[in-house]
Amino acid sequence: MAGKRDYYEVLGVSRDASDSEIKKAFRKLAFECHPDHNRDSGAEERFKEVNEAYQVLGDPDKRAAYNRFGHAGTDGTFGRGFEGFDFGGFGDIFEAFFGGAASRTRRTGAQRGADLRYSMSIAFEEAVFGCVKEVEAVRTEKCSACNGTGSESGSKPERCPECNGTGEVRRAQRSLFGQFINVTPCSRCRGEGRIITRPCAHCKGQGKEKVSRKISIKVPPGVDEGTQIRLSGEGDAGSRGGSQGNLYVSLSVRKHKLFQRDNDTILYELPVNFAQAALGDEIEVPTLDGGFKLKIPAGCQNGRVFRIKDKGVPRLRGSGRSDQLVRVQVVTPQSLDARQKKLFKELAKNLEEPTLPQEDKGFFDRIRDTFGGA
């Protein structure tokens, strides 16, 4: 033990340093002294010294023994270079250089099947009230001939002679850090641990086949453009006993010839003539539920908005239905016969000079209310 420096001095930390402080100091020094980074003479010896110090101070039991008995409290393993190298220390060194702990490849287990995606177009009314649609999707399923085993009927997969059924190949390698075991998936059985000696003629030993299936999709009321519906377990089959993936259906909604939609609100432009706007009228307004008698009061101005309750879109994530907004559009006639022109001229002589209605809100505020959050 003579001639060894104090381990705390080697790492440059105090005797009451925390575990995290010791680990941080070790990483810094190990990186600085590593022979791959430091070509100075003595760097390798310094690197070994740093590692030896950390092997003791990084272990609570060994550190306690060292604090009590000094170097005599250690078992002497570290004085023999890397022959007794501990893989716990290797994990920390690996992490110091590559940002993560040393790892090994495990035998591949069950794998979930891939998800599938499908785009579907529906009518405006189908989006509002919901519907049931049927799609045809091509997906991977278990082979119908071998039930997913990949083997011909009457035969079974055999243990892989390359890995003896473990699915792993282990190779011992020596490096600067000593000897360690590299574990990789077996290339012959691809990590399965078994090989198929008589492949199924139908699936060529894959255990899967492509199948076209008709799948029923229930579209809930209130969906909109871009809504995505998930059908669990309707995707590709999994591997090694893994579950099936999902089917995701993205919806696009076709435009309506009469209505527009703003979130859950239905918008409708109602054309009226001068007489209806001036004298008032009762007009049948179309809704998605059928006709609705709407009373237009006398003196109705262009752009006025009426609300018809509960004639909008069912709330997808709530209860009840939204409303339908009806915006009046006074239509100016573009062609008049002689009699109509005469009547308008007589009317014009008796009308007062037109003035804009006085309202608290400006023009753009009214437009925003009409087609925004009204």
Side-chain angles (χ1 to χ4, degrees):
M1 301 298 177
K4 282 191 176 183
R5 288 203 298 158
D6 179 75
Y7 287 149
Y8 290 101
E9 181 184 345
V10 171
L11 296 183
V13 295
S14 62
R15 300 190 73 83
D16 59 352
S18 64
D19 292 341
S20 61
E21 289 174 332
I22 291 174
K23 190 172 186 178
K24 183 177 179 181
F26 163 71
R27 289 181 181 177
K28 180 176 181 294
L29 292 172
F31 185 83
E32 291 176 354
C33 301
H34 193 281
D36 290 344
H37 295 271
N38 191 335
R39 301 297 182 181
D40 295 343
S41 60
E44 184 174 349
E45 291 302 318
R46 171 69 171 146
F47 178 78
K48 292 179 181 179
E49 184 184 40
V50 167
N51 177 66
E52 180 180 326
Y54 180 69
Q55 292 295 317
V56 173
L57 300 186
D59 183 291
D61 293 334
K62 293 178 182 179
R63 183 182 179 183
Y66 178 76
N67 289 341
R68 187 173 182 182
F69 302 109
H71 290 295
T74 63
D75 59 8
T77 300
F78 305 105
R80 298 192 297 269
F82 284 96
E83 290 299 316
F85 192 81
D86 189 337
F87 272 97
F90 175 72
D92 288 311
I93 294 176
F94 193 96
E95 186 175 358
F97 295 122
F98 303 106
S103 61
R104 48 180 275 181
T105 305
R106 300 288 183 182
R107 178 177 174 179
T108 306
Q111 291 185 350
R112 179 176 172 274
D115 294 330
L116 301 179
R117 301 190 181 276
Y118 187 91
S119 296
M120 184 172 66
S121 174
I122 59 176
F124 191 93
E125 293 89 338
E126 290 175 326
V128 172
F129 296 115
C131 61
V132 177
K133 308 290 281 187
E134 192 175 67
V135 301
E136 188 166 350
V138 178
R139 68 187 184 189
T140 301
E141 296 184 358
K142 287 183 179 180
C143 175
S144 56
C146 66
N147 196 31
T149 65
S151 297
E152 274 291 347
S153 177
S155 69
K156 294 182 179 180
E158 296 181 358
R159 177 184 294 178
C160 175
E162 185 75 18
C163 63
N164 198 30
T166 63
E168 300 175 340
V169 176
R170 297 166 176 258
R171 294 182 177 87
Q173 295 182 352
R174 296 189 65 83
S175 72
L176 175 67
F177 303 113
Q179 179 174 297
F180 64 96
I181 304 298
N182 183 33
V183 183
T184 59
C186 176
S187 59
R188 183 168 181 180
C189 66
R190 294 178 295 181
E192 293 280 356
R194 58 182 188 167
I195 56 175
I196 297 173
T197 55
R198 293 178 55 198
C200 170
H202 185 68
C203 67
K204 304 296 187 294
Q206 298 299 312
K208 298 179 182 180
E209 62 178 330
K210 288 287 187 181
V211 179
S212 179
R213 295 290 186 192
K214 290 185 177 180
I215 302 173
S216 180
I217 300 176
K218 184 177 181 181
V219 179
V223 297
D224 203 351
E225 180 77 22
T227 297
Q228 184 170 263
I229 299 175
R230 183 183 68 184
L231 284 79
S232 299
E234 295 291 356
D236 281 346
S239 301
R240 293 180 285 276
S243 61
Q244 281 188 240
N246 301 326
L247 172 62
Y248 292 91
V249 180
S250 296
L251 302 179
S252 62
V253 181
R254 298 191 291 273
K255 292 183 178 181
H256 198 279
K257 62 180 181 179
L258 295 178
F259 304 113
Q260 296 181 43
R261 180 173 171 179
D262 181 24
N263 294 324
D264 292 338
T265 303
I266 298 293
L267 308 175
Y268 175 71
E269 293 271 0
L270 176 63
V272 300
N273 59 39
F274 283 152
Q276 290 173 309
L279 303 176
D281 197 0
E282 189 174 68
I283 305 174
E284 186 172 88
V285 174
T287 73
L288 290 171
D289 298 293
F292 180 87
K293 293 288 187 180
L294 180 65
K295 186 174 182 180
I296 303 297
C300 181
Q301 298 297 312
N302 183 62
R304 182 167 177 179
V305 177
F306 296 89
R307 184 186 299 271
I308 305 177
K309 294 189 68 63
D310 301 326
K311 295 297 182 183
V313 180
R315 296 179 177 89
L316 184 62
R317 295 177 179 81
S319 59
R321 292 175 64 177
S322 187
D323 304 328
Q324 176 172 322
L325 299 182
V326 179
R327 183 177 182 270
V328 172
Q329 184 175 358
V330 181
V331 180
T332 302
Q334 294 181 328
S335 60
L336 300 172
D337 58 28
R339 181 172 177 275
Q340 290 171 333
K341 288 181 181 179
K342 182 180 178 181
L343 291 174
F344 268 106
K345 287 179 181 179
E346 291 178 359
L347 179 62
K349 294 178 182 179
N350 294 285
L351 290 176
E352 299 177 355
E353 190 72 22
T355 58
L356 293 174
Q358 297 297 317
E359 295 189 17
D360 294 336
K361 295 185 177 181
F363 174 76
F364 289 106
D365 290 329
R366 297 199 304 273
I367 292 295
R368 189 180 301 109
D369 287 345
T370 300
F371 294 105

